[in-house]
Amino acid sequence: MTDSKDISIMIVDDEEIVRDSLGKWFAADGFAVETFPDGKSALHHLSENSPDIIFLDIKMPGMDGIEVQKRIVEINPDPTIIFMTAYASVETAVQALKQGAFDYVVKPIDPDDIDHLVRNALEKRKLERENIRLKRKIETLEEKPTIIGESAAIKKVLDLAETVAKSDTTVLINGESGTGKELVAQTIHQISTRRLCPFIPVNCGALPESLLESELFGHEKGSFTGASQRHKGVFELADGGSLFLDEIGNISLLTQMHLLRVLETKRFTRVGGEKLIEADFRVICATNLNLLSAVDKGTFREDLYYRINVFTITIPPLRERTEDIPLLANHFLRKYGLNLKKDMREISRTAMDRLVRYSWPGNVRELENAIERAVVVGSAPSVEVKDLPVGIDERENTSGVESLDEVERDQIEKILVKTDGNIARAAKILGINRSTLYNKINKYNIQV
Amino acid sequence: MSRISILPVPDFEERYLEDLQYRLEEFLPHNIEIKSGSFDPSYAFVRERHQYFSTRILEKLADIASAEDTGETILGLTTIDLFIPVLTYVFGESLLSGPAAIVSIHRLDPRFYGKPENSRLLMERLEKTTVHELGHAFGLRHCPDYRCVMRSSNVVEGVDYKGKKFCAECLSHLDFKPRI
């Protein structure tokens, strides 16, 4: 008989003998069975429950089976309905099937036929579910993670991602916090041949050490206090797909050792378990630390470093690709305008200027948060300077640009070299008096 | 060890009774007895179907077992054609974890299908169907393993195809160990 695990069957028939007999027949196969003597009680049950299959008698006092089926479809169209009747009628059969019933049987039913009927109904349900799952998967594949940018720096990141995605090579993504390391990892996964299998991210820095091992390896029931159920870890969940280990520099040396063994053998045991489990996944790691320095300090294993540092992608901080800021800002403007149902059309020139000049220590994540806030507090259709978070105009992007003091210092040094240290002549060239020049020489600690 | 009492319903060929007793004793650790007397199922006959309502017979067998109050399982053996409502026929029926089971050779007999008499084949089918129904009485449900005796058989070919013994999974749910 069909594998009955987790399958529920509902029987609706006014004859107790039929409900009992059929109920026992299905119960012997391990199905969960519930029986109801009429349409009304069955419909009440269906308002909160969803059996897999409903065997529905046609001739019942009060509401007949055809009417019950119409109501079932309104409340809960999910269950597969099979009509039963002792009175064969072509018209009724046609009507029942037109209304969406899966099949129609005449009592008494041959035991082999009922087995085939249930098996076929379950197969149909399984195929329908698989169809829905695959359609959703295709939709998510079509919504590829978008890395926004036209700068040469980010285009290089994308090129590298596309190159490495074609193979199963382990990737290490370097970048400051908020630069989009997980987004790049997702992009690699979505381009790769593993895209139909799971992408499992783990933030190694967010979990306490005691939980990280269980999260990675899974655990057996009873392996430690609180382990009331067997739990599959990410090594198993990522089977066939990609495993993204973010903040890999934050894991303990002991966990690094265990991780190295898994990466080399692709075999592991769950915490508290003995059975060796094989897994097939592609590893993408990320860090904002300098792992080589960590190796020198002894906080990161050298062998693990070389194991994961096969192909490196470095994502530049946002301040080094300011030309992408308007693109990103407008992208987030559209996103949060939609989310918050505000007709946001533009960022004012002054506001955009501030955004471009800001240093963004939190990178793209900070920019996204700033735009979201601006959309929340601002009035449609544009984002103004006043809508931006306080402080955005206070930390200008000084990457590659000198401050006023530095410019002044450089100029004074240049002129002093030119005048061979002659303070009077230097002061005249600079257009300031000698005492002012002396003050500045002291201020900048210039050697004359 | 508890007892299984075989009761003819209403009668059953002696040679098949003794052969079955022997086979069950070889396999199960229980005491297998053939009860004297018989049981009249005529009250369970349904004229429209020309068959006997199996559940009604089973209920009476369960009453007999309860009345004896010895923890025994009553196994009814019959040649009559059994049915339960909704289905066209059954080979047998039992109470899940209950004290009674009934098996009919009516549709296990090759002659029912127009084939020549074959006592050996009939006994094989009877043995498997009996162990299967007793398995339900011991608390087992149907098993998806095609080799296991607890595999559901809706046609006689299914009975022929499956094995005579409990699989390891089903065995793990029994509170006794078969002899072989």
Side-chain angles (χ1 to χ4, degrees):
Chain A
M1 187 55 163
T2 316
D3 187 1
S4 54
K5 202 176 161 194
D6 301 327
I7 310 277
S8 59
I9 296 181
M10 177 195 259
I11 300 165
V12 187
D13 197 302
D14 57 319
E15 289 186 71
E16 189 181 354
I17 277 173
V18 169
R19 294 197 302 273
D20 281 350
S21 301
L22 205 50
K24 279 180 195 163
W25 180 261
F26 288 133
D29 281 306
F31 293 111
V33 181
E34 285 189 289
T35 65
F36 299 89
D38 52 53
K40 190 176 169 190
S41 54
L43 289 168
H44 179 73
H45 181 77
L46 281 166
S47 62
E48 290 182 5
N49 297 276
S50 190
D52 292 279
I53 299 175
I54 302 176
F55 278 88
L56 182 53
D57 190 22
I58 290 185
K59 248 190 177 339
M60 290 188 291
M63 221 188 300
D64 70 10
I66 299 289
E67 181 60 31
V68 173
Q69 186 211 15
K70 269 190 210 155
R71 304 271 189 97
I72 288 173
V73 169
E74 284 164 18
I75 297 171
N76 180 1
D78 185 58
T80 299
I81 297 175
I82 298 171
F83 275 105
M84 305 185 286
T85 185
Y87 310 95
S89 152
V90 172
E91 292 81 13
T92 318
V94 168
Q95 187 183 4
L97 293 170
K98 271 185 175 174
Q99 272 179 209
F102 174 70
D103 211 330
Y104 175 104
V105 291
V106 179
K107 293 183 270 191
I109 313 162
D110 195 84
D112 201 38
D113 288 347
I114 208 168
D115 183 31
H116 280 116
L117 198 52
V118 170
R119 202 183 306 152
N120 290 345
L122 292 174
E123 183 65 21
K124 175 181 171 273
R125 289 176 68 76
K126 185 181 152 197
L127 288 170
E128 281 170 350
R129 287 207 164 106
E130 184 71 5
N131 185 270
I132 291 169
R133 187 188 73 80
L134 288 171
K135 274 184 181 163
R136 280 194 193 132
K137 185 70 191 176
I138 288 169
E139 280 163 19
T140 61
L141 286 175
E142 283 165 352
E143 293 168 11
K144 277 191 195 133
T146 315
I147 296 178
I148 310 259
E150 292 293 328
S151 62
I154 207 65
K155 279 186 176 174
K156 188 180 172 194
V157 167
L158 278 167
D159 282 343
L160 288 171
E162 280 175 19
T163 300
V164 79
K166 293 169 196 164
S167 69
D168 244 11
T169 309
T170 302
V171 182
L172 177 61
I173 303 173
N174 285 319
E176 289 178 9
S177 183
T179 48
K181 296 189 287 296
E182 184 166 341
L183 197 56
V184 171
Q186 283 176 342
T187 301
I188 293 170
H189 174 75
Q190 292 288 29
I191 297 171
S192 75
T193 53
R194 291 176 177 272
R195 64 185 173 279
L196 291 177
C197 290
F199 172 85
I200 305 291
V202 180
N203 187 336
C204 300
L207 291 168
E209 192 59 33
S210 53
L211 288 181
L212 183 59
E213 288 251 343
S214 173
E215 183 69 10
L216 294 175
F217 295 86
H219 61 249
E220 295 292 354
K221 183 179 170 183
S223 52
F224 53 84
T225 308
S228 56
Q229 299 285 343
R230 175 189 285 177
H231 170 74
K232 278 189 180 179
V234 295
F235 291 152
E236 278 185 88
L237 296 175
D239 190 33
S242 304
L243 177 62
F244 175 57
L245 300 172
D246 197 5
E247 298 194 37
I248 186 109
N250 290 4
I251 63 176
S252 71
L253 284 165
L254 181 61
T255 304
Q256 288 176 34
M257 182 184 76
H258 294 150
L259 176 61
L260 176 63
R261 201 175 303 137
V262 176
L263 296 185
E264 285 175 341
T265 64
K266 291 289 164 66
R267 285 200 186 104
F268 62 95
T269 54
R270 296 190 191 110
V271 175
E274 289 172 357
K275 186 182 157 197
L276 260 180
I277 301 168
E278 289 205 24
D280 163 38
F281 51 82
R282 189 248 189 88
V283 176
I284 306 171
C285 300
T287 183
N288 57 11
L289 302 176
N290 184 329
L291 285 185
L292 215 40
S293 297
V295 168
D296 288 339
K297 284 180 198 160
T299 55
F300 201 84
R301 291 180 65 108
E302 188 178 21
D303 46 6
L304 179 61
Y305 173 74
Y306 286 113
R307 187 72 184 76
I308 63 175
N309 190 31
V310 180
F311 191 99
T312 306
I313 297 177
T314 301
I315 308 176
L318 189 56
R319 63 184 174 279
E320 289 181 15
R321 54 178 187 117
T322 54
E323 61 268 52
D324 289 333
I325 291 175
L327 280 167
L328 284 161
N330 282 318
H331 168 75
F332 294 134
L333 184 74
R334 276 189 299 275
K335 174 180 171 183
Y336 289 105
L338 268 170
N339 283 2
L340 296 163
K341 295 184 173 57
K342 274 181 157 178
D343 184 21
M344 304 304 292
R345 300 206 191 145
E346 60 173 5
I347 298 171
S348 73
R349 193 181 280 185
T350 328
M352 188 62 84
D353 189 53
R354 294 287 171 90
L355 294 175
V356 173
R357 282 174 21 210
Y358 182 55
S359 62
W360 300 109
N363 293 290
V364 179
R365 188 182 296 131
E366 189 185 357
L367 172 62
E368 181 172 3
N369 290 344
I371 300 298
E372 183 184 4
R373 184 200 178 276
V375 171
V376 168
V377 305
S379 318
S382 67
V383 167
E384 304 294 337
V385 171
K386 63 175 174 58
D387 302 326
L388 298 177
V390 170
I392 273 211
D393 56 352
E394 286 173 1
R395 271 204 273 188
E396 283 206 18
N397 185 358
T398 58
S399 170
V401 173
E402 291 177 303
S403 66
L404 201 56
D405 280 358
E406 283 170 329
V407 170
E408 190 175 56
R409 187 186 197 281
D410 286 347
Q411 185 67 4
I412 290 170
E413 276 182 325
K414 213 185 290 178
I415 301 300
L416 282 169
V417 165
K418 233 179 177 174
T419 60
D420 214 16
N422 188 311
I423 302 292
R425 272 176 57 204
K428 194 170 177 183
I429 293 168
L430 288 166
I432 54 178
N433 62 42
R434 280 190 295 177
S435 60
T436 303
L437 180 56
Y438 273 119
N439 285 339
K440 288 191 188 292
I441 286 169
N442 286 335
K443 176 184 170 186
Y444 296 126
N445 204 24
I446 295 172
Q447 302 298 315
V448 179
Chain B
M1 177 47 69
S2 48
R3 190 171 71 220
I4 296 171
S5 298
I6 303 175
L7 181 64
V9 178
D11 45 45
F12 207 78
E13 277 190 63
E14 195 89 16
R15 59 179 172 134
Y16 290 138
L17 276 177
E18 288 173 356
D19 192 354
L20 183 66
Q21 181 187 30
Y22 172 75
R23 287 171 187 244
L24 292 178
E25 280 172 346
E26 287 287 292
F27 181 52
L28 299 171
H30 301 70
N31 295 323
I32 313 291
E33 283 186 12
I34 299 174
K35 260 180 149 17
S36 57
S38 66
F39 177 83
D40 182 9
S42 55
Y43 70 95
F45 182 70
V46 175
R47 197 180 300 279
E48 302 80 42
R49 297 279 301 251
H50 211 70
Q51 289 172 298
Y52 291 78
F53 189 173
S54 169
T55 312
R56 291 214 178 115
I57 301 174
L58 195 62
E59 283 163 358
K60 280 276 162 62
L61 293 176
D63 288 342
I64 295 171
S66 301
E68 303 263 330
D69 198 25
T70 53
E72 69 177 337
T73 302
I74 299 268
L75 170 66
L77 285 185
T78 187
T79 58
I80 57 178
D81 194 14
L82 300 174
F83 82 99
I84 60 172
V86 172
L87 298 182
T88 50
Y89 66 89
V90 290
F91 293 129
E93 191 183 352
S94 52
L95 292 170
L96 191 64
S97 304
I102 181 157
V103 173
S104 166
I105 60 169
H106 188 87
R107 292 183 187 246
L108 298 177
D109 194 330
R111 290 176 292 183
F112 179 82
Y113 304 97
K115 302 271 173 73
E117 183 180 354
N118 187 333
S119 303
R120 188 195 59 78
L121 179 59
L122 175 57
M123 271 315 301
E124 290 280 312
R125 291 173 176 174
L126 176 59
E127 182 187 353
K128 288 181 192 176
T129 308
T130 301
V131 172
H132 179 98
E133 294 303 336
L134 286 173
H136 283 316
F138 299 147
L140 297 177
R141 294 183 190 271
H142 286 151
C143 179
D145 187 340
Y146 68 89
R147 294 161 296 188
C148 180
V149 73
M150 290 312 298
R151 168 88 170 177
S152 169
S153 308
N154 301 317
V155 291
V156 78
E157 290 81 7
V159 178
D160 292 338
Y161 193 63
K162 69 185 178 188
K164 288 187 197 180
K165 298 180 187 175
F166 300 112
C167 69
E169 175 65 28
C170 288
L171 272 176
S172 70
H173 295 294
L174 291 172
D175 59 9
F176 64 84
K177 207 174 165 185
R179 292 189 210 278
I180 47 167

